Amino acid sequence: MENDMEQADVRTGQLYTLQLPSKYESITQLEALIEEIADKYQVSEDTFANMMTCLNEAAINAIVHGNKLDESKTVIVNADVDAKRIIWTITDEGPGFDYNHLPDPTAPDRLEELTGRGVFILKHLADQCIFNAKGNEVELHFKI
């Protein structure tokens, strides 16, 4: 039974949640939350910059591509924070997408493209980037 006691201690994290209407202006609420968490947990400047870039990218993708700027649909942002890491989850109400078959944005014929780098950015700046099977939710891990 002593194992149960140890398990109870595991979840000491704090959970933050935002429900954002699907419009560009919602990003300011997300940025405010990122700043609040970064201050509270003394996140390094590099990690803060990476989080800001990734979460902006993921939220804009959810708002524009997932929910098609339909303000009746929401984007849910969760941040699960503990002393060592932050796990952000961004979920939209869209149909999802096939993240395994995206064109490579670093391919020579795609370098001039203005779009198509979002997932590439997420995978390079977050410590871990996990999509759900449907492709309408992404989990981004950052060590702090």
Side-chain angles (χ1 to χ4, degrees), residues 14-137:
Q14 190 165 356
L15 190 63
Y16 298 81
T17 301
L18 282 178
Q19 294 192 13
L20 304 174
S22 296
K23 56 183 181 179
Y24 287 109
E25 296 78 24
S26 296
I27 292 299
T28 55
Q29 289 177 60
L30 175 59
E31 289 174 346
L33 179 63
I34 298 166
E35 286 171 8
E36 179 189 328
I37 290 172
D39 285 348
K40 184 172 179 180
Y41 293 88
Q42 291 156 357
V43 172
S44 74
E45 283 185 38
D46 283 354
T47 302
F48 173 72
N50 288 347
M51 281 196 312
M52 196 61 97
T53 303
C54 285
L55 289 157
N56 251 300
E57 186 62 45
I60 290 289
N61 281 351
I63 288 167
V64 175
H65 300 296
N67 291 347
K68 308 281 188 227
L69 290 167
D70 177 348
E71 290 186 33
S72 70
K73 293 182 176 178
T74 54
V75 173
I76 310 288
V77 179
N78 287 318
D80 185 351
V81 191
D82 69 28
K84 294 189 177 124
R85 54 104 188 110
I86 305 174
I87 298 174
W88 293 88
T89 310
I90 297 92
T91 311
D92 63 55
E93 296 184 61
F97 74 109
D98 184 354
Y99 49 88
N100 286 315
H101 294 96
L102 293 172
D104 177 1
T106 63
D109 63 329
R110 300 220 8 115
L111 288 176
E112 300 297 315
E113 299 280 331
L114 295 174
T115 61
R117 292 190 187 85
V119 173
F120 181 82
I121 289 167
L122 300 183
K123 288 182 175 174
H124 283 77
L125 294 183
D127 291 309
Q128 213 176 346
C129 173
I130 305 162
F131 287 93
N132 68 350
K134 186 176 170 185
N136 73 328
E137 180 174 284

